[in-house]
Amino acid sequence: MKDTAQCNMALGNSMSAAYISSVNDNMSQSHFHDYFELYFLDYGERYHYWNDKIFKLQSGDCIIFPPYTMHRSYSDKDCTFSRIVLYFRPDIITSEKLRTALYNSDSFYTPENLKNFRRLIYLFLEAQSKASEFRYEYMAALTNLILTMVVEMKPNKKSLAQQSRTTQIIDYINNNYEHDISLQNLADMLHISEYYL
């Protein structure tokens, strides 16, 4: 699957969004970028690995990844989903208070008024595809409105962090297989004995 929004950001855009609908589209490893990412799950269920936690998003949930934070998304086998990503650079955010709140985001959100939230995101997608003299200003205003709605939502910090040690070990190995991993290091990281591990 090609992420056109990510391609646009690589070309120097300040903000870009993309809608993708897929099945069994899992990231093989975590990644990061030098801009923010708002991930809105329009339909389905997806897991997000971020900050050593696993969050389970359902239709209507969204999550914000600050710049340079490692994350990845995946789902169960044969899981159909559709999602919209909105990428934006920090300088798009018009308020320092809003920017600080976004940098400190560490959970996911469920919009109270999903219909309005979804409409704003689709307005952004529509605006991005039109040629208009004030296209940039309109997209920036929509981005700030969307982000303001997000930070005013009650964060859902519930993660699957109550996951088993076995799941933690598997996730760690999946994300760090290119490095030397020793039994001792894993045991130290989990605060358990090598024998128990």
Side-chain angles (χ1 to χ4, degrees):
M1 155 180 67
K2 184 176 180 181
D3 186 342
T4 56
Q6 203 165 35
C7 294
N8 289 338
M9 296 301 284
L11 292 172
N13 287 18
S14 297
M15 60 201 138
S16 187
Y19 171 90
I20 291 178
S21 183
S22 188
V23 179
N24 291 339
D25 181 31
N26 294 327
M27 294 180 177
S28 59
Q29 60 186 20
S30 296
H31 69 284
F32 68 89
H33 18 72
D34 64 346
Y35 43 82
F36 282 94
E37 174 182 340
L38 170 83
Y39 184 108
F40 173 64
L41 186 61
D42 204 22
Y43 172 78
E45 287 184 350
R46 297 286 283 169
Y47 296 96
H48 290 268
Y49 181 82
W50 176 34
N51 287 343
D52 297 325
K53 293 180 184 167
I54 299 174
F55 297 99
K56 182 179 182 181
L57 272 65
Q58 298 179 332
S59 298
D61 290 339
C62 64
I63 192 166
I64 293 181
F65 301 110
Y68 302 105
T69 55
M70 296 293 283
H71 62 278
R72 88 181 150 97
S73 65
Y74 57 94
S75 61
D76 295 326
K77 189 174 187 218
D78 299 327
C79 181
T80 302
F81 72 95
S82 58
R83 59 98 168 137
I84 299 169
V85 289
L86 170 58
Y87 300 125
F88 55 96
R89 300 203 182 277
D91 60 344
I92 287 298
I93 305 164
T94 55
S95 156
E96 187 62 40
K97 186 176 179 181
L98 178 57
R99 188 178 301 117
T100 300
L102 293 170
Y103 270 112
N104 294 323
S105 174
D106 64 349
S107 58
F108 70 97
Y109 305 86
T110 303
E112 290 177 19
N113 191 330
L114 181 58
K115 183 179 176 183
N116 286 345
F117 187 75
R118 181 180 277 132
R119 180 68 186 136
L120 289 173
I121 291 176
Y122 276 90
L123 279 172
F124 185 98
L125 287 168
E126 185 181 300
Q128 157 176 280
S129 65
K130 290 185 175 179
S132 163
E133 182 180 355
F134 296 102
R135 179 173 158 254
Y136 177 87
E137 289 78 7
Y138 184 57
M139 288 167 53
L142 282 170
T143 300
N144 279 275
L145 184 55
I146 290 166
L147 298 174
T148 302
M149 285 182 75
V150 170
V151 298
E152 289 188 337
M153 295 174 198
K154 184 179 177 186
N156 187 341
K157 293 189 180 252
K158 184 179 177 186
S159 76
L160 304 180
Q162 296 18 318
Q163 61 186 321
S164 70
R165 283 205 170 109
T166 306
T167 304
Q168 288 178 305
I169 293 165
I170 291 168
D171 283 340
Y172 183 83
I173 292 170
N174 281 337
N175 289 309
N176 296 282
Y177 62 87
E178 70 275 9
H179 305 292
D180 288 335
I181 301 173
S182 72
L183 188 62
Q184 179 63 52
N185 288 344
L186 277 174
D188 291 345
M189 182 186 77
L190 296 167
H191 308 291
I192 56 177
S193 72
E194 284 183 70
Y195 176 78
Y196 182 83
L197 179 57

